[in-house]
Amino acid sequence: MTEAKKVLRRKTLAKWLKESILRLGPTFIKIGQQFSTRVDILAQEYVDQLSELQDQVPPFPSKTAVSIIEEELGGPVNDIFDRFDFEPIAAASLGQVHRARLKNEEVVIKVQRPGLKDLFDIDLKNLRVIAEYLQKIDPKSDGAKRDWVAIYDECANVLYQEIDYTQEATNAELFASNFKDMDYVKVPSIYWKYTTPQVLTMEYVPGIKINRIKALDQLGVDRKKLGRYAVESYLEQILSHGFFHADPHPGNIAVDDVNGGRLIFYDFGMMGSISPNIREGLLEAFYGVYEKDPDRVLQSMVQMGVLVPTGDLTAVRRTAHFEERLAAQRKEKEELAAAEAVVGFKQPLSKEEKIAKKKQRLAAIGEDLLSIAADQPFRFPATFTFVVRAFSVLDGIGKGLDPRFDITEIAKPYALELLRFREAGVEDFKKRWERQNQAFYNLFRQADRVEKLAQVIQRLEQGDLKLRVRALESERSFLRVAAMQKTIGSAVAAGSLVNLATILYFNSVRMPAVATYMFTAFFSIQVLFGLLKVKKLDQQERLITGTA
């Protein structure tokens, strides 16, 4: 299998995938649009084919589009517009776009595909069944879980809003208002007189798709700067306004040469909104990372609903403090090296002792991570689905613009600017107030704390409160013993059943013998799975303890 044959095979499979997605319809086209930006995940042949889903979806007949416009606007298109181009300039998953002239102004008219709501009803009904199934089988612990039905409801709500073009027009104007002071973002103006739930008329703003690298180079814009603008614009949407574009694939973001390269946003049907408590939690998380305060980060995660406060957070807290401890160890090591250089001081620990201490620290971290994985104290609000998706797409776009693109490095200065703004305002005042009045605060808090401690002791004595002490090594041992017991039980059952089946078969009792053999196969598979589970647990134990 030569490389040329592999490339040809990938091209064939990619074309089949694109055509299959087109046959499945709008819901699946949107999934394909998301993956069309992941140049770091998919081979280039798949990216090339899936990119056609962004604005090269087959259009529907122009006669149908004209009849929808005339019915919605209440008159012939030639009477409403000075010029109307019957050939569409673009077709997307939910509609297609025609150019026109209106009172000496160039406009575009977005027309919705016919029968879209009925198609959504069918697709989303099937997807809800999948969401309900995932909700049942998803492991739950301490109340933490991924709420698949809530994620489905959020997605369905956004998709149904997307087929109401009056809502899209409202979203576009709000988005434009949020970016009115930023000259690197352009949003087309809306013509409300010619806008209805199925027809949207807006300003014609041409541009080059943000993933057309050669065309962008010919335009002479700075691709690295464009990647930074894209990330900063999303941080502004999410952290400052709590209202963001939830479908940022390259078909919806273009670039022109105004102001050295300006981002043009299209298609405001899919928009996400973040509640004030989540937005404030995100800022608190940024602030906690900046201040190297793991407890503050954990508190912000609880505030956002990402971390379950009722769970056992000991392992999470210890892991969060790990980087802080590691930095302290590095500082200690540097100071010791400096002392050695000055006075010739020798390290008291041998090489073997150092290795043993390092293994001990890694084992402690491994235990904490295993405990976190077992308890699953994390959950994510449905809104985060769109936030993660948006930044995933942006990451793909950025890597296409600049191979050295790093979304975290671009986000860091913006986040620090927000944090400095907070420090200069109420947050800084609050810090100074707390420092100056800490003694006064503690004077009145101590009595309250003593009283609460007395209440806790009383509840322990009465049996209303139980103290839970975790021994992670014992938990892992019990888990392995339980897996071994189950495996041995399945092996005994399989052995007994195979004997019974053989006796029945030789006594010509064929049907019960076949049924018993099937049960034997089932228990044999359980034995295999049990052995694999025990092997996995042993590997985890070796990884945690650092043994070979």
Side-chain angles (χ1 to χ4, degrees), residues 323-490:
E323 188 174 346
E324 192 179 60
R325 297 198 305 267
L326 197 61
Q329 288 171 4
R330 281 200 299 265
K331 186 178 179 181
E332 199 176 303
K333 186 176 180 182
E334 289 171 1
E335 291 174 352
L336 187 62
E340 285 181 5
V342 174
V343 298
F345 180 72
K346 297 298 182 182
Q347 181 74 290
L349 294 178
S350 65
K351 185 177 180 181
E352 291 75 15
E353 287 173 327
K354 289 180 183 178
I355 294 173
K357 271 190 163 294
K358 186 177 179 182
K359 282 186 177 181
Q360 188 178 359
R361 288 196 300 269
L362 292 175
I365 297 163
E367 285 186 347
D368 291 339
L369 293 175
L370 186 64
S371 176
I372 292 169
D375 278 352
Q376 297 182 11
F378 296 99
R379 64 182 174 195
F380 291 91
T383 310
F384 274 34
T385 307
F386 294 104
V387 175
V388 173
R389 177 184 182 273
F391 278 104
S392 172
V393 173
L394 285 175
D395 191 46
I397 292 172
K399 283 182 170 62
L401 290 170
D402 178 14
R404 293 175 295 180
F405 176 85
D406 187 344
I407 195 168
T408 56
E409 287 300 315
I410 294 172
K412 186 177 178 181
Y414 183 89
L416 292 179
E417 186 178 346
L418 281 174
L419 298 173
R420 288 191 199 102
F421 177 78
R422 291 190 70 187
E423 275 192 320
V426 177
E427 200 66 30
D428 190 42
F429 175 78
K430 182 181 175 183
K431 279 185 174 181
R432 290 198 303 269
W433 175 265
E434 287 179 353
R435 281 197 301 266
Q436 293 171 4
N437 296 277
Q438 189 66 40
F440 181 78
Y441 175 78
N442 287 336
L443 179 64
F444 288 93
R445 285 289 294 168
Q446 294 305 326
D448 183 50
R449 288 174 179 172
V450 170
E451 184 182 352
K452 286 184 177 178
L453 182 60
Q455 290 175 356
V456 171
I457 294 173
Q458 185 179 6
R459 290 179 64 192
L460 281 169
E461 290 174 346
Q462 293 173 350
D464 295 333
L465 188 65
K466 293 182 179 180
L467 186 63
R468 181 189 178 196
V469 179
R470 299 192 65 177
L472 296 177
E473 291 183 4
S474 300
E475 287 183 18
R476 296 198 304 271
S477 299
F478 287 139
L479 192 62
R480 188 183 186 281
V481 168
M484 283 297 298
Q485 285 180 340
K486 186 176 179 181
T487 304
I488 292 170
S490 297

Side-chain angles (χ1 to χ4, degrees), residues 20 41 58 108 112 137 139 162 197 238 362 411 453 517 521 528-529 534:
S20 299
I41 296 176
V108 291
Q112 191 175 116
I137 67 171
E162 194 173 3
I238 291 168
L362 292 175
L453 182 60
Y517 275 125
L528 178 61
F529 283 145
V534 171

Side-chain angles (χ1 to χ4, degrees), residues 134-135 138-139 144-149 151 376 378-380:
L134 290 172
Q135 187 83 348
D138 193 28
K145 59 183 177 180
R146 285 151 293 276
D147 196 338
W148 294 101
V149 173
I151 292 172
Q376 297 182 11
F378 296 99
R379 64 182 174 195
F380 291 91

